Amino acid sequence: MKIRWNIWLEKEDSVVLSLWRVALLTAIADTGSINQAAARMEVPYRIAWQKIQEMETLLGETLVTTTTGGSGGGGSQLTPTAQTYVAQFEQLQEQVEPFLQEQFTAVFGDSL
């Protein structure tokens, strides 16, 4: 048996960062596109854009910058602030996981 968990951060009782939202930001960084990131996350573009706007509003920070198309094409990239939030969230996740596994073993032992 394995322990599974989900972690998210709230501000004003609204989700600011979560595993899914960090994955969305990471997909934007990887693809250079909100549209391609939304496709990777298997959600409509509108949902991805809505989640970005929610995060930016709650944090009071710009997380994604976009450039419009044209001869060079358009694109999206994470701001340094977003990159920091992603790194911090991933660090928190990495530190919580072994702690939860240790607590799971302490409580359940080999009984499951």
Side-chain angles (χ1 to χ4, degrees), residues 14-77:
S14 296
V15 176
V16 176
L17 290 175
S18 65
L19 293 171
W20 189 91
R21 289 173 189 235
V22 168
L24 174 62
L25 292 173
T26 301
I28 292 168
D30 290 347
T31 64
S33 165
I34 296 171
N35 193 39
Q36 289 179 27
R40 181 186 287 184
M41 300 295 294
E42 299 180 350
V43 297
Y45 173 89
R46 181 182 57 78
I47 297 296
W49 182 242
Q50 177 187 14
K51 297 306 177 188
I52 293 164
Q53 289 180 317
E54 287 174 5
M55 290 184 284
E56 290 181 338
T57 298
L58 288 165
L59 292 168
E61 301 276 356
T62 300
L63 300 177
V64 178
T65 58
T66 59
T67 55
T68 55
S71 62
S76 301
Q77 63 182 22

Side-chain angles (χ1 to χ4, degrees), residues 6-18:
N6 190 2
I7 189 168
W8 63 89
L9 305 178
E10 295 182 357
K11 184 175 182 183
E12 300 171 11
D13 295 325
S14 296
V15 176
V16 176
L17 290 175
S18 65

Side-chain angles (χ1 to χ4, degrees), residues 74-92:
S76 301
Q77 63 182 22
L78 299 187
T79 63
T81 299
Q83 293 171 3
T84 298
Y85 281 130
V86 167
Q88 289 171 325
F89 191 90
E90 288 173 347
Q91 181 181 4
L92 176 63

